[in-house]
Amino acid sequence: MPHPHLWPRLTVPVIALLLGTLVAAPTRADDGPSRAEATDYSLTLHPDRTGPAISESMYGVFYEDINHAADGGLYAELVQNRSFEYDRADNAAYSPMTAWSETSAAGGTGTATTVDDSGRLGERNRRYLRLDLDGAGGRGAGFGVANSGYNQGLTLRKGERYDFSVWARTDRPEGTSLTVGAATADGAALASPLRVTARGDRWTKYTGTLTARTSAADGRLTVTAGGSGTVRLDMISLFPRATYKGRANGLRKDLAEKTAALDPGFLRFPGGCLVNTGSHEAYEAPGWERKRSYQWKETIGPVEQRPVNANFWGYNQTYGLGYYEYFQFAEDIGAMALPVVPALVTGCGQNKATDDPELLERHIQDTLDLIEFANGPARSTWGAKRAAMGHPAPFGLTHLEVGNEENLPDEFFARFTEFREAIEARYPDITVISNSGPDDSGATFDRAWQLNRDADVAMVDEHYYNNPQWFLENNARYDAYDRRGPKVFLGEYASLDNRFSNALAEAAYMTGLERNADVVELASYAPLLADTNDSQWRPDMIWFDNEKSWGSANYEVQKLFMNNVGDRVVPSTASSTPATTEPITGAVGLSTWATSAAYDDVEVTAEDGTPLLGDDFSGGDAQWTKAAGRGSWAVQDGAYVQSDESAEDTLVTAGDTGWQNYDMKVRATKKSGKEGFLVAFGVKDTGNTYWWNLGGWGNTRSAVEKAVDGAKQTMTEDTTTIETGRAYDIRVQVRGRQVTLYLDGEQWGTFTDDKPAEPFRQVVTRDDATGELVVKVVNAQASDARTRIDLGAEPASRTARVTTLQAAPDAVNTADDRQVAPRKSTLRVDGRVLSHTFPAHSVTFLRIRE
C-alpha cells in the first residue's frame, strides 16, 4: 500500500473525463434511453500472426491483513481476543479484556482478571484469564465470561456445528466443571450447553462441539465455572466445523470460495505494509516489541505457541492465520504461493534503513529456511516442521519477493542484493522479485528501475493506485518497456473506488496488460478483502460482514478476465474514438498539509498580461473562499496565514473556474510543521484540481498532482524540499494543456497533460484447450460502440459464446443488491466478418471457435 498521504476516501464516481483533458466524444455519462448516439468502430484480428504467450499464472490475488481481513475475516475463528493478548500498543481502545465481559448463572459470583505471571500457558502466550470462584449461588450456579465476537457478535447458523476448545488448569483436586453456551445478546439460548471438567493444575486442552438450534448474528459465547477455588483459562476458541475444505484452524468458507472462484494463478501474501514496517527484531519475551515486521517463523506451529503482533493498520494480529495456512490456501485454490519477506528497509511512511549486519544475516537465513520449509524434504530441519503440521509433501515454491514499496531505493537495493545472492547460491531455481517503490513514476521509481535493470533482476514489482482517467490514459504504458527484461509483476493496482466506472477503467487497462504479456508476467488487483464494519482502505475486491460476502464491481471484472485468460495473444488492431482538445481550465488556490504557512502578493494575469486577480491581503481575505472548510486561515501581518499545523488539505480558492491560459504568482513561506505548501491551479472544486505540492510527503519531495473526483495522479516531481522561514517566489504558467512551473525565478519543471483517455479498448487471446478466440472489448463511454469485426479467417462455428458486464457508471454491488453481474448469451457468426454493438459502459467477452 502507498504512503497514507495519498490515500483518498472516495464517494464520487469518475464518469466524465474532467479537467478539460483530451475527451472522447460523445461525453454523456448517463445510461438508458437518453444515452448518446452510437459511435462506429472497427476491429481486425490477425490470427496468422504470433503474439506473446501469456503466463498461466498471469492474474492472481494479493492478500494482506488490512481491513480486518484475517481475524474476524478470512480466518474462521469466531472468538475475538481468544488469548487475552489485546493491548493498548495495538490500539488505544484495547485492553486484555476487549470483547469479554463477566457473566454468571444461578447467582454464581466471583472475579475475573487477566494475569501475566509464571503460571502462563507459554512464553509466547503470556496472558491468561483467572477466575476466582466464590462458590455462591444455587444449584447449577456458575461464574465466568462471555465473548461478543467481532462486530455485532458471533454468527451461528441453525443446524451447523461449532468446535469449542479451551486450555485450562484448576487448583481444585476434584476438578472444576465448565459450562459452555451460546446465546443472543439479549440472552436467548442458541445451542444446548456443553459441559467439560477441567482436572489438574497443569495446562490441558479441552474440546467439545456446540450445535446451533437457531440462527443469529449477535451471538455470545459463554464459559462459566461452577464451585469454588481458582480456574485458569486461555485460548478460548469457537470454530465453525464448515471451514473451507473442512480444515481445522481453517478459513471462512464463503470468503475462500469467492477467492477460489477467481481461479487465481498466484497468491501474494502476507502484505503489504505489514511486511516491512515496525521493528525487524524477532519476538523475545518478556519485553518484546509488539510492532514488528511480519516474520514467518513466528506464525507456524501450534496456534497457542504463536505470538501476537500489533498490525500496522491499527489492530491486533493473532497469527492464527500464518505461513502454513497461506501455503495450504494457495494449494487449495490451485494458485502459486508468492510470499513477501522484509528487506530491513521500512516503507509505508516510515522510510528507515536498519543498519545491523547481524540482523540482516539472520533475516537472510530466515528466508533460506522459509524456502526449506516450503520445498524441503520431510526429513530436513524445516521440512520436518511442515510435515509435523500435516503436509509431508513439499509445497513447490517457485517465486519469492524481498521487500515492499521501499522509498529508499539505494538502501533497499543494497540489502536486496544480499538476499538475492544468498538465495540464488542455495536455490538457483527460485525467482527473486524486487520492487520499484510505491508509485508509478518519479525519482524513486526511476532510480529503483535503474538499479534493477543494471543488476539484471528477473522481475520487478510495481504498485500504483490512480484515478480512472489515469488507467484510461495509460493503456500503452508497457508497450515501451524493454522486452529483454526485467519482467514486471504488477503486484498492487486499483482505480480508487468500487463503482462500475472504476472497474471499466481497470478493464480497459487490463487489455494493455495482456497485450504486453511478454513484459507483464503477473498482475493482481489490491486489496482482496474488507470488513464493511471496519475498514482502513477503499476500494477492495471482496466485501464482507459477519453473515454475508459479496464481490465488488471490480471483482466481477477481475473474475471475467481471470476466468478467460487464454494462452497466447492474437495480434489485433482497432479504431480509436474521436477526441477534442480543451485547455486546462479553472480557478486558483492555496493550501497546506500538516503545516502552517503564509502567502502574500498573489497575482493572476491573462496570457496578454491583463490582470485577473491581485491580492496583497492589505484589505482582508474577501476574495478567497474556504473551499475545504479545514484549517485556520486569517490575515496576519499583511499575509494570508494558515496557522493550524495539524490540519490537512486546507484549500482556499479564488477566481473563476472558467479561467484558462494564465499566469499565477505568489510568495509562500513555511512557518512550522511537517511539510511545505501547496499552490493550486485549474481548480474546478476541491476534488478536481491540480496542485503543486512543494515539500510534501514529510518534506521529502515535491510534485504536481492532478485530482479527478478526489483521486490523484502525479504529473511531474523532483526532490525539492522547503526550508522553514524562507520566502519562496512561485510562478505557474498555464498554456493550453501545457504547464510550466518556476521556483525563485528558475524553471522547476514542465508537463503537458494531453494523453487521450481512450474509452474503447480491446485485446484478443487464444484458448488452446477449447480452440477458441477470446475477443475482449471494453466500452467505457456513454455511447454504444457499433463495431465491424474482421476475424481474419472463417470461424469453425456459427455461434459465439458471449459474456457481458453492463451497468450504470455509478453502480456498486452490496450485500443485497448485485447491480454488476455477468450476463450470458450467444451471438450468430455468419462468416469471417460480423457486426456487433458493444453497449455503453460495458465489458464484453466473445468466445469464437476458430
Side-chain angles (χ1 to χ4, degrees), residues 823-846:
R823 185 177 70 249
K824 304 284 187 179
S825 61
T826 58
L827 174 69
R828 175 71 180 174
V829 180
D830 291 324
R832 169 175 171 164
V833 178
L834 66 146
S835 295
H836 184 69
T837 297
F838 297 97
H841 311 303
S842 69
V843 184
T844 305
F845 279 29
L846 309 176

Side-chain angles (χ1 to χ4, degrees), residues 219-238:
R220 303 290 188 266
L221 177 71
T222 60
V223 182
T224 57
S228 59
T230 297
V231 62
R232 295 168 171 85
L233 307 177
D234 205 351
M235 292 296 291
I236 302 175
S237 171
L238 190 69

Side-chain angles (χ1 to χ4, degrees), residues 334-565:
M336 175 182 76
L338 203 165
V340 187
V341 299
L344 272 68
V345 178
T346 55
C348 302
Q350 296 184 358
N351 302 334
K352 294 180 180 179
T354 299
D355 292 315
D356 185 334
E358 290 186 7
L359 186 60
L360 176 61
E361 184 59 34
R362 195 267 289 171
H363 274 268
I364 292 173
Q365 185 59 52
D366 281 356
T367 303
L368 296 174
D369 293 342
L370 171 60
I371 299 172
E372 183 178 286
F373 176 78
N375 292 353
R379 64 182 180 275
S380 65
T381 300
W382 290 97
K385 294 183 182 295
R386 179 197 67 239
M389 295 184 72
H391 201 287
F395 281 116
L397 178 68
T398 60
H399 291 64
L400 183 145
E401 183 171 358
V402 177
N404 173 76
E405 294 187 3
E406 284 75 20
N407 250 324
L408 303 172
D410 289 276
E411 292 87 341
F412 160 73
F413 203 78
R415 290 154 181 79
F416 170 83
T417 299
E418 295 196 45
F419 277 90
R420 180 190 180 195
E421 289 176 350
I423 295 168
E424 291 181 346
R426 181 84 62 86
Y427 300 104
D429 293 335
I430 296 292
T431 298
V432 185
I433 304 172
S434 182
N435 75 81
S436 58
D439 299 309
D440 61 86
S441 59
T444 295
F445 178 88
D446 292 341
R447 177 59 176 162
W449 260 104
Q450 176 189 334
L451 292 166
N452 286 308
R453 275 192 295 265
D454 291 348
D456 197 23
V457 169
M459 186 174 290
V460 177
D461 188 1
E462 293 189 354
H463 294 180
Y464 37 82
Y465 297 86
N466 291 317
N467 60 44
Q469 182 166 314
W470 185 94
F471 285 95
L472 293 174
E473 291 174 351
N474 285 275
N475 179 275
R477 174 183 176 89
Y478 296 108
D479 290 2
Y481 273 50
D482 191 340
R483 294 359 242 182
R484 297 168 297 178
K487 301 301 183 184
V488 172
F489 171 23
L490 180 50
E492 298 184 31
Y493 73 98
S495 72
L496 295 173
D497 206 353
N498 280 142
R499 299 174 186 269
F500 190 51
S501 54
N502 299 86
L504 281 171
E506 292 155 4
Y509 192 72
M510 293 171 78
T511 66
L513 300 182
E514 292 192 8
R515 188 177 64 250
N516 289 285
D518 54 334
V519 171
V520 184
E521 286 198 351
L522 305 173
S524 50
Y525 178 98
L528 178 64
L529 297 172
D531 183 342
T532 191
N533 294 290
D534 198 348
S535 63
Q536 295 78 45
W537 178 271
R538 181 183 179 89
D540 302 280
M541 200 188 300
I542 300 170
W543 289 85
F544 65 89
D545 57 25
N546 284 15
E547 299 179 85
K548 300 177 182 178
S549 60
W550 57 97
S552 64
N554 317 68
Y555 172 88
E556 295 297 344
V557 161
Q558 293 292 323
K559 184 179 178 182
L560 185 59
F561 273 84
M562 293 166 78
N563 287 184
N564 296 275
V565 180

Side-chain angles (χ1 to χ4, degrees), residues 53 80 83 211 234 289 297 460 500 559 573 618 623 723:
Q80 183 178 186
S83 59
T211 300
D234 205 351
E289 172 59 59
K297 287 182 178 178
V460 177
F500 190 51
K559 184 179 178 182
T573 55
S618 59
Q623 298 188 78
E723 300 174 21

Side-chain angles (χ1 to χ4, degrees), residues 583-628:
I584 293 173
T585 304
V588 298
L590 309 170
S591 189
T592 61
W593 195 292
T595 302
S596 172
Y599 297 93
D600 203 358
D601 298 328
V602 179
E603 295 181 10
V604 182
T605 56
E607 185 177 9
D608 62 4
T610 302
L612 299 175
L613 173 70
D615 202 339
D616 62 5
F617 300 102
S618 59
D621 64 352
Q623 298 188 78
W624 297 84
T625 299
K626 296 179 174 63

